[in-house]
Amino acid sequence: MNITLEHAEKAIVAAKQKATEIDTKMNIAVVDAGANLVAFGRMDGAWLGSLDISIKKAKTARYFDMNTGSIGELSQPGGSLYNIEHSNNGLITFPGGVPIKNANGEIIGAIGVSGSVVENDHTVAEAGASAI
Amino acid sequence: MNITLEHAEKAIVAAKQKATEIDTKMNIAVVDAGANLVAFGRMDGAWLGSLDISIKKAKTARYFDMNTGSIGELSQPGGSLYNIEHSNNGLITFPGGVPIKNANGEIIGAIGVSGSVVENDHTVAEAGASAI
Amino acid sequence: MNITLEHAEKAIVAAKQKATEIDTKMNIAVVDAGANLVAFGRMDGAWLGSLDISIKKAKTARYFDMNTGSIGELSQPGGSLYNIEHSNNGLITFPGGVPIKNANGEIIGAIGVSGSVVENDHTVAEAGASAI
Amino acid sequence: MNITLEHAEKAIVAAKQKATEIDTKMNIAVVDAGANLVAFGRMDGAWLGSLDISIKKAKTARYFDMNTGSIGELSQPGGSLYNIEHSNNGLITFPGGVPIKNANGEIIGAIGVSGSVVENDHTVAEAGASAI
C-alpha cells in the first residue's frame, strides 16, 4: 500500500507537463505512505525557496490525509488549528499538497508542488496525483 | 509527585476507550512532571502528523499547567502571548492537552491527544486525565 | 505490512517483563515500517536521557533493517561508515535496537531499548521483538 | 554553469541501471552548483535511512568539490579535519558522493548514492556522474 518509484516518477512527469502548459517552473516532491521522500524534481529556474516548501507540502498532505489548503483554512488566527504549522518540523498549509490514492481509493503517498501562485501549485499537484 | 508508568498507561487505556466510543483514531501521549514522555500510543490508522502534535500538546499543558486551549486564546494576533508557539521547540496551543493531577490536586503530568477535530481531542484527553 | 498498536503494546509488555527479570529500568520504543513511533513506555526511575536514545535506536534499526549494534561496528574510526550517526537527525548505533518481523519474516517495525549497559538493552529489545 | 533537471534525471536513470545491474537498491540524489537538491529517486525497498544519507553525500561532494570518501580520510581521529561532520547540519564523509562535471571539466553539481556497502554506493554514483 505504498507508492512505487515508478508511479512517483509518473506523477512528476505529469506535473512537469502541466507546469509547462501553464507556463510555470515548479519544485515537485512525492512522499510515500510513511511521509518519506520517494522522488523529487526541480524545474530549471524554479524558486530555490520552493524546494523545501514542496517537500513540506507533500509531507503535510500525507500527515493529515487531505489537501494542504484545507488545513490552512483551519489554522488562521481564531481558527481551531491556529499555528499547527509549528508541529512536525514545520508544516506548509496553503494549497499545493495533495494525497495520492491507488485504484481502491487507499492513500499511498502524497505530492507537493511549489513555485508559483498557490492556485497554480494546486493545479499542478492535482495533475500529478491524478496521473496514478 | 510524578506520574508512574502504570498510571500513564491507565490514562492511555481510558483515552483509547473514549476514542473508540466516539469513533475516532487518536495519538495519545502522556508526559511526567518534568514534561518528559512517559507513555505513548498511536491507534491504527490515526493521522501520522498527529504523532508530534499529541506530544507537543502534552508538553505544552505541563509547561504552563493549564489546558492547551487556554493558551491558544492568549496567543492570537494582538493577544498577550502572541506567537508563544515559537518557544520550546514548538508549542501546540489548541485544545487536546490537559494537565493530570493526583488525588491531592497536585499536577503530576499531562496528556496530549490529537487525531480528530479539537473538541474530540479535548474530550479524549479529559477521559484520560480523569482516569487517574 | 505495518505493525499494529496491539502488537507494539505486546512487545512493550514483554520487554518490561524481561527488564524487571534482569533488574533494570528501561525506556522502550516501538516504531512502524515508516520509522514513526507507535508506542512507548518509560519505566519508573529509568534514565531520562535514555528516552531519546530508545526512540533513536528503534528508528535506526528500521532505517537500515538491522540491529543497531551491527551499524556501530562499521561506524568506528577507520570503519566504512565512520560518523554515519550525523545523518537522520542523529542515529544511535550501539546495541539495543532490533527490527520486528511478522510471521512471514517481513520487517514491520522495530524496537529500541535504553536504560542499562548495552548488553542488557539488547536482551530486552530481543525479548520485545520476539514476542510478536 | 548549473546542472539542468534533464541532466540530473539522466544521471539518476544511469545510476538506477547500474544499481540494478549489481543487484542493489539505492537512494540517489543530485544537487546543483549551489548544493541544492535538483532530483531524487528512492528505489523500491531501499533503506529508509539512506534517504538522508544520499542527499548529505551529494551536498558534501559539492561543498568541497571532491569525492566524499576523500574527506573521510581526513576526518578520522587525529586527522586534519577531525569531526568536520558536525558542520553544515551534518556531512557524510564516506564514499558514495561524487562531483558532476560538464564537458569543460567545470563542476556543475554532485550526486550522492546510499543503500549498500560503500564500494557499491561509490560505483553507482560514478555511473550516474559519468552519464553527463
Side-chain angles (χ1 to χ4, degrees), chain C residues 33-35 62-66 76-89 91, chain D residues 47-50 52-53 56 72 75-77 82-83 85-86 89-95 118:
Chain C
R62 170 54 186 152
Y63 281 152
F64 302 101
D65 293 341
M66 62 181 83
Q76 299 297 318
S80 60
L81 303 182
Y82 177 55
N83 265 351
I84 191 175
E85 292 83 0
H86 287 267
S87 70
N88 294 289
N89 290 319
L91 300 176
Chain D
W47 287 327
L48 264 184
S50 286
D52 184 55
I53 292 176
K56 282 187 164 53
S75 69
Q76 300 294 321
Y82 175 56
N83 265 351
E85 292 85 0
H86 286 268
N89 289 321
L91 300 177
I92 290 294
T93 59
F94 45 81
V118 296

Side-chain angles (χ1 to χ4, degrees), chain A residues 13 18-19 29 36 46 55 73 78 84-85 94 101 107-108 129-130 132:
Chain A
V13 166
K18 175 59 77 178
N36 297 300
I55 295 176
E73 290 171 18
I84 192 175
E85 293 84 359
F94 45 80
K101 297 177 182 175
I107 294 179
I108 55 172
S130 62
I132 294 170

Side-chain angles (χ1 to χ4, degrees), chain A residues 33-35 62-66 76-89 91, chain B residues 47-50 52-53 56 72 75-77 82-83 85-86 89-95 118:
Chain A
R62 170 54 186 151
Y63 282 153
F64 302 101
D65 293 342
M66 62 180 83
Q76 300 296 319
S80 60
L81 303 182
Y82 177 57
N83 266 350
I84 192 175
E85 293 84 359
H86 288 266
S87 70
N88 295 288
N89 290 318
L91 300 177
Chain B
W47 287 328
L48 263 184
S50 286
D52 185 54
I53 293 176
K56 281 188 165 55
S75 69
Q76 300 295 319
Y82 176 56
N83 265 351
E85 293 84 0
H86 286 268
N89 290 319
L91 299 178
I92 290 294
T93 59
F94 44 81
V118 296

Side-chain angles (χ1 to χ4, degrees), chain D residues 59-120:
Chain D
K59 286 176 183 265
T60 300
R62 171 52 187 153
Y63 283 152
F64 303 102
D65 291 342
M66 62 182 83
N67 290 350
T68 47
S70 303
I71 302 166
E73 290 171 17
L74 302 173
S75 69
Q76 300 294 321
S80 58
L81 303 182
Y82 175 56
N83 265 351
I84 191 174
E85 292 85 0
H86 286 268
S87 69
N88 296 287
N89 289 321
L91 300 177
I92 290 294
T93 59
F94 45 81
V98 172
I100 296 176
K101 297 176 182 176
N102 65 12
N104 299 327
E106 295 159 327
I107 294 178
I108 57 172
I111 184 170
V113 173
S114 179
S116 178
V117 296
V118 296
E119 292 77 12
N120 288 341

Side-chain angles (χ1 to χ4, degrees), chain A residues 15-102:
Chain A
K16 284 195 296 185
Q17 207 160 18
K18 175 59 77 178
T20 302
E21 243 177 77
I22 63 173
D23 197 25
T24 58
K25 297 164 177 176
M26 296 294 194
N27 287 263
I28 307 156
V30 176
V31 300
D32 64 14
N36 297 300
L37 195 65
V38 178
F40 173 83
R42 175 157 52 93
M43 296 172 73
D44 301 339
W47 288 329
L48 263 185
S50 286
L51 195 177
D52 184 54
I53 292 175
S54 68
I55 295 176
K56 281 188 166 55
K57 280 183 182 174
K59 286 177 183 265
T60 300
R62 170 54 186 151
Y63 282 153
F64 302 101
D65 293 342
M66 62 180 83
N67 290 352
T68 48
S70 303
I71 301 166
E73 290 171 18
L74 302 173
S75 68
Q76 300 296 319
S80 60
L81 303 182
Y82 177 57
N83 266 350
I84 192 175
E85 293 84 359
H86 288 266
S87 70
N88 295 288
N89 290 318
L91 300 177
I92 292 293
T93 59
F94 45 80
V98 172
I100 296 176
K101 297 177 182 175
N102 66 12

Side-chain angles (χ1 to χ4, degrees), chain C residues 21-54:
Chain C
E21 242 178 78
I22 62 172
D23 197 24
T24 58
K25 295 163 179 178
M26 296 296 194
N27 288 263
I28 307 157
V30 176
V31 299
D32 63 15
N36 297 300
L37 195 64
V38 179
F40 174 82
R42 175 158 52 92
M43 296 172 72
D44 300 340
W47 288 329
L48 263 185
S50 286
L51 195 176
D52 185 54
I53 292 175
S54 67

